[in-house]
Amino acid sequence: ALAEKLISNKKTDDNGDTMNWLLVKSLQYRRDDPHALFYRYDYEDQFKRVSLRGRGKPVSFEDIPKQAYKKMLPISKSKKADLLKLCKSLVIPKEVHAWYESLPTSDTAKHLTPEPAEGDSENDMPAG
């Protein structure tokens, strides 16, 4: 819901200059101007303002979306076992082990291995 309000293929900034989102190096949000985002192409440039408008009315980051889930979604038991193995080998830092240990599991949750990215071979994928 928030994305529908905030994201509207912006092509121009408030000065009417054409924007190229792929070239943006820095974004800034200012509390004193909650209905705008500021961007620049170079770290030495001045920020340019872009009004955040959704469906004709101003919106701000204070427009908080509804919570999607009432509790954490469970993961498969095998996925949790893999994560706990990474905790034990300290690939995952100790300070977050308790969170991983608290993850709920379900017999019906699916353990999906990601497909290889375009250009990757099966050998580039982690075992899972």
Side-chain angles (χ1 to χ4, degrees), residues 22-127:
L22 296 174
L23 297 178
V24 171
K25 293 270 195 283
S26 182
L27 285 173
Q28 186 180 77
Y29 174 75
R30 300 177 186 168
R31 278 187 210 170
D32 62 336
D33 195 356
H35 302 292
L37 229 138
F38 298 83
Y39 75 97
R40 60 186 177 183
Y41 295 130
D42 230 337
Y43 296 112
E44 290 82 30
D45 291 346
Q46 294 292 318
F47 280 96
K48 295 182 179 184
R49 185 179 190 277
V50 178
S51 296
L52 296 176
R53 295 205 163 279
R55 303 185 191 261
K57 63 178 184 170
V59 295
S60 71
F61 287 101
E62 291 138 5
D63 295 315
I64 298 172
K66 287 192 286 183
Q67 187 172 341
Y69 303 100
K70 300 215 184 283
K71 59 183 180 178
M72 260 204 241
L73 296 179
I75 60 175
S76 70
K77 289 180 180 180
S78 61
K79 173 62 80 179
K80 184 171 181 177
D82 289 344
L83 290 168
L84 294 179
K85 194 182 296 182
L86 292 172
C87 288
K88 188 175 181 178
S89 65
L90 298 179
V91 170
I92 294 175
K94 274 187 173 186
E95 52 272 5
V96 293
H97 286 188
W99 184 82
Y100 283 96
E101 291 163 358
S102 73
L103 289 173
T105 61
S106 166
D107 290 330
T108 58
K110 292 182 179 160
H111 180 90
L112 301 175
T113 304
E115 294 295 321
E118 190 173 319
D120 285 348
S121 70
E122 290 288 330
N123 297 336
D124 295 333
M125 292 298 297

